[in-house]
Amino acid sequence: MRIFDPHIHMTSRTTDDYEAMYAAGVRAVVEPAFWLGQPRTSPESFYDYFDALLGWEPYRAAQFGVQHFCTIALNPKEANDPRCRPVLDELDRYLAKDRVVAVGEIGYDSMTPEEDEALARQLQLAVDHGLPALVHTPHRDKAAGTRRTLDVVRESGIAPELVVLDHLNELTVGMVLDSGCWAGFSIYPRTKMSEDRMVEILKEHGTARVLVNSAADWGRSDPLKTRRTADAMLAAGFDDDTVDQVMWRNPVAFYGQSGRLDLDEPKPDDASTFRGNSVRRGGE
């Protein structure tokens, strides 16, 4: 089984996670730029973070046989902080990088005017760079937030097939698929979406334009939820080809619109370093 996790924050995870993910079939990931939990206090801290997503983390993933790509953006939560908003003026130079396969995470947290502006500006950047957009739907008042997001997407002029709305549930999947956008689902241990609920959604709405991710980060989350969902699909009667569509071909189709996916499996090299650093600790 091959798995492409289209939304996972590996900066927050350990090398043990990479090893377990590879053993479970994960061969590629997309890591969206997001809020780190601790508020940033200057734009420069974003640039160091973006550089790590483009340099250190792809190197680290490759040591475990995983291809790593990223999305770049000012996230919705920190779009409200005036100390962080200058990041919007610097995104062009990062969105031109080879391993950036979308603009994201953008969208809504609290649905403020500042978030409205940041979402509209970053959707325009996606249009300007010919990139897909990964859009975060709010955790509170999700149905209203999703409707508002779809309105802004329509107003932006971006092609709906270039947009995925993530963190969806049973209340929002229908309106998103009806819009022509992609529908993203984050499978979590206790919140958002479970693998069994995901199976029921796939039975009702089909497997076209659906992305299933773990969204694993620094909180209570599980980087193997993609594999657990695949196993739940098989147990529910989906065949191997349908599982492959959801877990591999769909994310390849969506992010492949960037023209930047190179899915050749990396060759782990224990002797290689990144700027003098490696994942080794001590001698054998």
Side-chain angles (χ1 to χ4, degrees):
M1 182 184 297
R2 55 182 183 171
I3 295 172
F4 188 146
D5 193 329
H7 182 155
I8 184 169
H9 301 287
M10 292 308 299
T11 297
S12 306
R13 312 303 303 194
T14 68
T15 55
D16 286 352
D17 291 320
Y18 270 125
E19 289 181 328
M21 289 161 60
Y22 185 87
V26 177
R27 295 295 181 269
V29 300
V30 167
E31 178 162 1
F34 83 136
W35 181 57
L36 294 180
Q38 174 71 28
R40 296 175 177 94
T41 59
S42 72
E44 286 73 17
S45 59
F46 278 88
Y47 310 147
D48 288 339
Y49 169 57
F50 294 162
D51 288 342
L53 293 181
L54 289 161
W56 169 249
E57 204 57 43
Y59 161 79
R60 195 168 74 109
Q63 303 316 301
F64 301 93
V66 176
Q67 279 283 15
H68 179 285
F69 305 92
C70 70
T71 76
I72 296 290
L74 174 64
N75 68 82
K77 188 175 185 68
E78 289 177 299
N80 295 295
D81 190 333
R83 297 173 299 179
C84 300
R85 290 179 64 80
V87 171
L88 291 168
D89 299 323
E90 297 295 328
L91 291 176
D92 270 310
R93 63 189 176 98
Y94 284 101
L95 295 175
K97 302 292 186 180
D98 286 343
R99 302 194 74 85
V100 177
V101 294
V103 179
E105 295 180 57
I106 58 178
Y108 287 114
D109 179 60
S110 300
M111 291 184 282
T112 64
E114 290 79 10
E115 292 171 25
D116 283 328
E117 180 191 354
L119 174 56
R121 283 186 64 178
Q122 293 183 99
L123 285 171
Q124 184 60 53
L125 284 170
V127 172
D128 294 345
H129 286 266
L131 288 173
L134 169 62
V135 183
H136 170 103
T137 56
H139 302 305
R140 302 173 296 279
D141 202 2
K142 187 170 290 289
T146 301
R147 284 191 292 269
R148 184 166 171 177
T149 301
L150 289 171
D151 287 341
V152 177
V153 168
R154 279 189 290 268
E155 292 165 4
S156 75
I158 190 172
E161 64 268 21
L162 285 168
V163 179
V164 57
L165 272 67
D166 213 343
H167 312 314
L168 299 183
N169 60 21
E170 293 87 347
L171 298 177
T172 54
V173 55
M175 69 176 85
V176 171
L177 290 174
D178 288 346
S179 75
C181 295
W182 288 67
F185 298 88
S186 300
I187 315 302
Y188 262 41
R190 298 187 181 181
T191 59
K192 294 185 181 177
M193 178 64 54
S194 71
E195 48 266 53
D196 292 334
R197 288 167 59 197
M198 188 70 239
V199 166
E200 293 306 312
I201 287 173
L202 292 169
K203 287 179 179 178
E204 180 176 354
H205 295 277
T207 56
R209 284 186 288 116
V210 170
L211 299 181
V212 174
N213 64 73
S214 70
D217 59 12
W218 36 256
R220 190 184 296 277
S221 51
D222 181 354
L224 301 183
K225 279 295 187 181
T226 48
R227 177 57 189 256
R228 300 190 204 287
T229 302
D231 289 341
M233 289 178 66
L234 292 171
F238 288 95
D239 61 22
D240 290 339
D241 184 69
T242 305
V243 172
D244 186 73
Q245 177 196 351
V246 172
M247 293 298 166
W248 185 265
R249 301 197 308 269
N250 278 1
V252 168
F254 179 72
Y255 288 115
Q257 296 176 104
S258 68
R260 297 174 178 174
L261 279 186
D262 174 7
L263 291 169
D264 290 340
E265 188 166 341
K267 302 294 190 295
D269 179 5
D270 194 51
S272 71
T273 63
F274 178 80
R275 297 188 178 179
N277 216 352
S278 78
V279 295
R280 301 186 304 277
R281 287 295 178 267
E284 292 295 334

